[in-house]
Amino acid sequence: MSSHGDPIPMTSSACGPLSGVAEVPGDKSISHRSLILGAMAVGETTITGLLEGQDVLDTGKAMQAFGAEVINHGGGSWSVHGVGVGGFAEPDQVIDCGNSGTGVRLIMGAMATSPISVTFTGDASLNGRPMARVTDPLALFGCQAVGRAGGRLPMTLVGAADPVPVRYTVPVPSAQVKSAVLLAGLNAPGETVVIEEEATRDHTERMLAGFGAEISTEVTEEGRVITLKGQPELKPQHIDVPRDPSSAAFPVCAALIVPGSDVLVPNIGLNPTRAGLFTTLREMGADLVYENEREEGGEPVADLRARFSPDLKGIEVPAERAASMIDEYPVLSVVASFASGETHMPGVKELRVKESDRIDAMAVGLRAAGVTVEDGPDWWTVTGLGHGNVPGGVTCASHLDHRIAMSFLVMGMATQKPMSVDDGGPIATSFPIFEALMGGLGADIQRGG
Ligand code: S3P
């Protein structure tokens, strides 16, 4: 099992206004997919703006173990020499995906229809997460999986030698599951069809089309019906990875709760399957403006300007918006603590099976910091105390979860007493420049408990 080294306690204290420009790193979802699809194309894919977080680096190492050549040219510029659909070699080592559920689930899909055996592992967080949601549909292609009880890693997958195409309705709203099935469908003959009742992030569909696959999406009464024609030759691409809205969430939310702040977060993708947080914040009364709205690479993009918002109101966050902001609920719960009234967040069962049980991790820390939180299996409610009234002054467990660590550190920028996390190390999985970037805006984050 991998681990990320000794814990790194961090403390965040109240600071003066945050100001300046926050250049957040590349999108994590698109970065994983760039490496994986690059490895499945024939020839050289070039990538700029790749997120060089540990999760993505682990996916890059995995692609090398499958026979692709992955080269770091420096400054976020990478190239991948792909082996083609069906061209994966059998790795001679265990594939360690570290902390990354996206990495392991997408790679499982990508290898499931090749006649190779692969053993996957990860850190303590990843080895506790459910994998049957992916291995069940992969079994329909003819791929076998043997893991620990409850379908947990470490786990060995034996890819199908004679894969058959699949028609599969995804039972939980999960872009990882949808993407695993589509990637497996690449090396199956005929048409693979994936149906999702609720729309989840659609980067895999968009990127597969960009790589030359025949893929179409039809919105029907059943939901989104995605049809992929198997065994294409994927053509190498140049990919300029847009910046990650899920990382942008942290400087945006910090600016809203720290008095006097005015922060510009440029070039953020506002794909509707990802932008739910920003809609929600605006409904809460946030001074959050989309500047310079434009289209880049077929995706809506804007510069986000966030200013201190003293009169935030709690709201009901529509359950049907959950998939488009699933990674942003932890930091939303922090903003909700500084709002007046209740923020009710229904339809969020999936938060319980992320890098940590994110409802529980946040609820425990928020309560300790003086905020009232109620929760049930698939909902939670935060009762805000209003600006300036949140006590803080506690150390929270980050549970090997980057977004939990960053959320509590954002909180400490506006609580009466500092907030600490027991381990900020996992932040490096998705946002390795978080401390430096927030410090550059004026935040006071120190290492130490
Ligand atoms: C991701 C999908 C989401 C999200 C994760 C990235 C992806 O997970 O939480 O951070 O890149 O496909 P689920 O598919 O489990 O909802």
Side-chain angles (χ1 to χ4, degrees):
M1 184 197 299
S2 72
S3 87
H4 67 89
D6 291 336
I8 306 173
M10 292 185 190
T11 298
S12 171
S13 308
C15 54
L18 301 174
S19 68
V21 179
E23 309 257 9
V24 304
D27 190 279
K28 181 155 72 70
S29 294
I30 296 175
S31 293
H32 281 294
R33 288 160 172 79
S34 300
L35 294 171
I36 295 169
L37 290 174
M40 298 178 88
V42 178
E44 190 182 55
T45 286
T46 53
I47 309 167
T48 48
L50 188 82
L51 166 64
E52 293 175 348
Q54 194 54 49
D55 279 7
V56 175
L57 299 179
D58 287 337
T59 289
K61 268 193 235 145
M63 291 305 102
Q64 262 176 313
F66 285 102
E69 201 182 340
V70 179
I71 302 170
N72 179 1
H73 301 282
S77 173
W78 290 66
S79 58
V80 182
H81 229 271
V83 293
V85 167
F88 276 176
E90 185 169 88
D92 55 11
Q93 299 285 341
V94 170
I95 298 297
D96 187 342
C97 290
N99 190 250
S100 183
T102 308
V104 75
R105 291 178 176 140
L106 266 53
I107 297 168
M108 283 177 168
M111 57 72 47
T113 45
S114 292
I116 54 175
S117 298
V118 185
T119 302
F120 294 93
T121 193
D123 69 5
S125 157
L126 187 58
N127 287 1
R129 297 179 66 185
M131 293 298 144
R133 55 177 52 202
V134 171
T135 54
D136 285 353
L138 297 184
L140 304 174
F141 288 97
C143 172
Q144 294 169 295
V146 183
R148 288 190 305 133
R152 317 274 155 173
L153 303 181
M155 180 176 273
T156 298
L157 267 62
V158 182
D162 292 306
V164 290
V166 154
R167 183 179 176 92
Y168 188 69
T169 302
V170 184
V172 286
S174 168
Q176 293 174 0
V177 176
K178 168 179 67 178
S179 302
V181 177
L182 289 171
L183 292 174
L186 279 175
N187 199 33
E191 285 186 345
T192 286
V193 179
V194 187
I195 300 151
E196 59 176 5
E197 284 156 15
E198 278 177 55
T200 64
R201 66 192 69 194
D202 59 359
H203 306 302
T204 303
E205 297 93 300
R206 287 174 188 252
M207 292 178 74
L208 275 171
F211 274 86
E214 262 183 59
I215 182 165
S216 62
T217 301
E218 213 189 326
V219 180
T220 71
E221 274 179 7
E222 275 179 293
R224 281 158 45 93
V225 179
I226 304 153
T227 305
L228 171 72
K229 187 149 183 257
Q231 299 180 324
E233 180 172 309
L234 296 184
K235 302 201 175 27
Q237 297 296 299
H238 173 71
I239 300 163
D240 191 14
V241 179
R243 292 189 178 152
D244 199 326
S246 299
S247 295
F250 295 100
V252 163
C253 289
L256 301 180
I257 62 172
V258 174
S261 296
D262 183 350
V263 170
L264 185 71
V265 192
N267 294 330
I268 301 303
L270 292 177
N271 178 319
T273 63
R274 294 291 297 282
L277 172 74
F278 305 126
T279 307
T280 301
L281 292 172
R282 280 154 51 125
E283 286 175 7
M284 293 172 80
D287 184 351
L288 173 61
V289 180
Y290 300 163
E291 294 183 350
N292 194 14
E293 284 184 68
R294 57 206 183 268
E295 278 231 339
E296 275 174 25
E299 300 257 358
V301 172
D303 304 334
L304 306 183
R305 182 173 287 279
R307 296 188 184 89
F308 175 55
S309 304
D311 298 317
L312 294 166
K313 308 257 176 302
I315 62 161
E316 168 89 16
V317 183
E320 56 278 11
R321 194 180 290 161
S324 70
M325 53 180 287
I326 195 68
D327 290 335
E328 284 66 74
Y329 282 94
V331 75
L332 174 64
S333 72
V334 168
V335 175
S337 303
F338 293 88
S340 58
E342 288 185 356
T343 295
H344 181 52
M345 297 167 277
V348 291
K349 188 166 77 205
E350 281 296 297
L351 287 181
R352 297 213 179 265
V353 290
K354 294 293 178 186
E355 285 83 331
S356 66
D357 175 341
R358 285 183 168 161
I359 297 178
D360 194 57
M362 288 309 299
V364 168
L366 291 176
R367 285 178 192 132
V371 179
T372 300
V373 182
E374 288 173 86
D375 70 294
D378 68 345
W379 62 271
W380 50 326
T381 302
V382 173
T383 305
L385 294 169
H387 171 66
N389 301 327
V390 184
V394 292
T395 299
C396 301
S398 54
H399 299 282
L400 287 178
D401 188 331
H402 51 134
R403 298 199 201 281
I404 300 300
M406 289 187 280
S407 296
F408 284 126
L409 292 172
V410 165
M411 186 172 184
M413 295 173 199
T415 43
Q416 292 165 347
K417 292 192 193 138
M419 293 288 293
S420 300
V421 292
D422 63 345
D423 186 11
I427 293 171
T429 61
S430 72
F431 199 162
I433 61 167
F434 174 78
E435 280 171 278
L437 182 144
M438 295 308 301
L441 298 176
D444 177 7
I445 299 176
Q446 307 289 335
R447 292 204 170 190

